[in-house]
């Protein structure tokens, strides 16, 4: 179950938000081999005046930005998958949002299976008790 936190610069734009959520979900499922039914996305918006890079706000830079954090269970994604994911997400957000500051970024967070789960059950427990869940 990947959990995604997507932070977008600028004012809320429902159309752009929906497009970015769909792109993040699709790319996460395709490249990291995750199930869309179990993929959660939380979106936050930060005003350009409140987002700083090198001490200057995005408003001063005249740029847009995003930060995507995806939490996955450790050892479920290879280095090659993560590298491909970084590139695909950045390129997709660049196309959707445009005028990105180059410090826009993606953070893949690997969590231990015993520390991560959903419905009150850790991924480690699911793994140890596969017959109960599959």
């Amino acid at each position: 179950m990947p959990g995604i936190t997507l932070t977008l610069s600028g004012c809320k734009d429902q159309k752009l938000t929906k497009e970015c959520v769909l792109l993040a979900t699709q790319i996460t499922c395709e490249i990291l081999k995750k199930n869309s039914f179990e993929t959660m996305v939380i979106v936050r918006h930060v005003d350009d005046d409140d987002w700083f890079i090198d001490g200057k706000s995005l408003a001063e830079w005249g740029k847009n930005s995003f930060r995507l954090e995806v939490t996955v269970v450790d050892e479920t994604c290879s280095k090659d998958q993560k590298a491909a994911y970084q590139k695909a997400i950045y390129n997709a957000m660049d196309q959707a949002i445009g005028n990105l500051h180059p410090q826009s970024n993606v953070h893949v967070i690997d969590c231990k299976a015993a520390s991560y789960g959903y419905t009150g059950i850790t991924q480690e427990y699911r793994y140890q008790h596969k017959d109960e869940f599959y």
Side-chain angles (χ1 to χ4, degrees):
M1 177 215 153
I4 299 170
T5 302
L6 176 59
T7 307
L8 302 171
S9 67
C11 298
K12 277 189 178 185
D13 175 334
Q14 279 306 112
K15 184 178 177 193
L16 178 62
T17 298
K18 183 74 169 173
E19 180 180 359
C20 290
V21 166
L22 292 174
L23 287 167
T25 301
Q26 177 186 20
I27 293 167
T28 300
C29 294
E30 286 177 9
I31 295 178
L32 300 183
K33 305 299 182 202
K34 303 302 179 186
N35 180 343
S36 66
F37 180 73
E38 296 173 336
T39 302
M40 174 193 68
V41 181
I42 297 171
V43 179
R44 291 186 256 185
H45 294 85
V46 175
D47 192 85
D48 291 342
D49 289 322
D50 295 328
W51 191 311
F52 292 84
I53 300 170
D54 192 24
K56 290 172 50 178
S57 71
L58 286 175
E60 292 173 283
W61 283 107
K63 296 283 188 180
N64 299 314
S65 193
F66 78 94
R67 177 176 173 86
L68 184 141
E69 300 173 53
V70 59
T71 305
V72 296
V73 175
D74 192 26
E75 299 183 4
T76 61
C77 300
S78 71
K79 289 180 182 180
D80 289 340
Q81 284 174 306
K82 292 175 192 177
Y85 183 74
Q86 291 269 346
K87 184 175 207 122
I89 289 288
Y90 188 91
N91 290 340
M93 294 300 152
D94 191 29
Q95 286 289 313
I97 300 167
N99 192 32
L100 286 181
H101 190 284
Q103 295 304 317
S104 303
N105 61 75
V106 178
H107 184 184
V108 179
I109 304 165
D110 292 302
C111 289
K112 293 183 183 232
S115 301
Y116 188 60
Y118 59 98
T119 66
I121 301 169
T122 68
Q123 295 297 72
E124 179 66 23
Y125 185 91
R126 286 179 200 286
Y127 179 78
Q128 297 293 334
H129 299 89
K130 289 181 226 176
D131 296 340
E132 295 176 32
F133 296 98
Y134 305 104

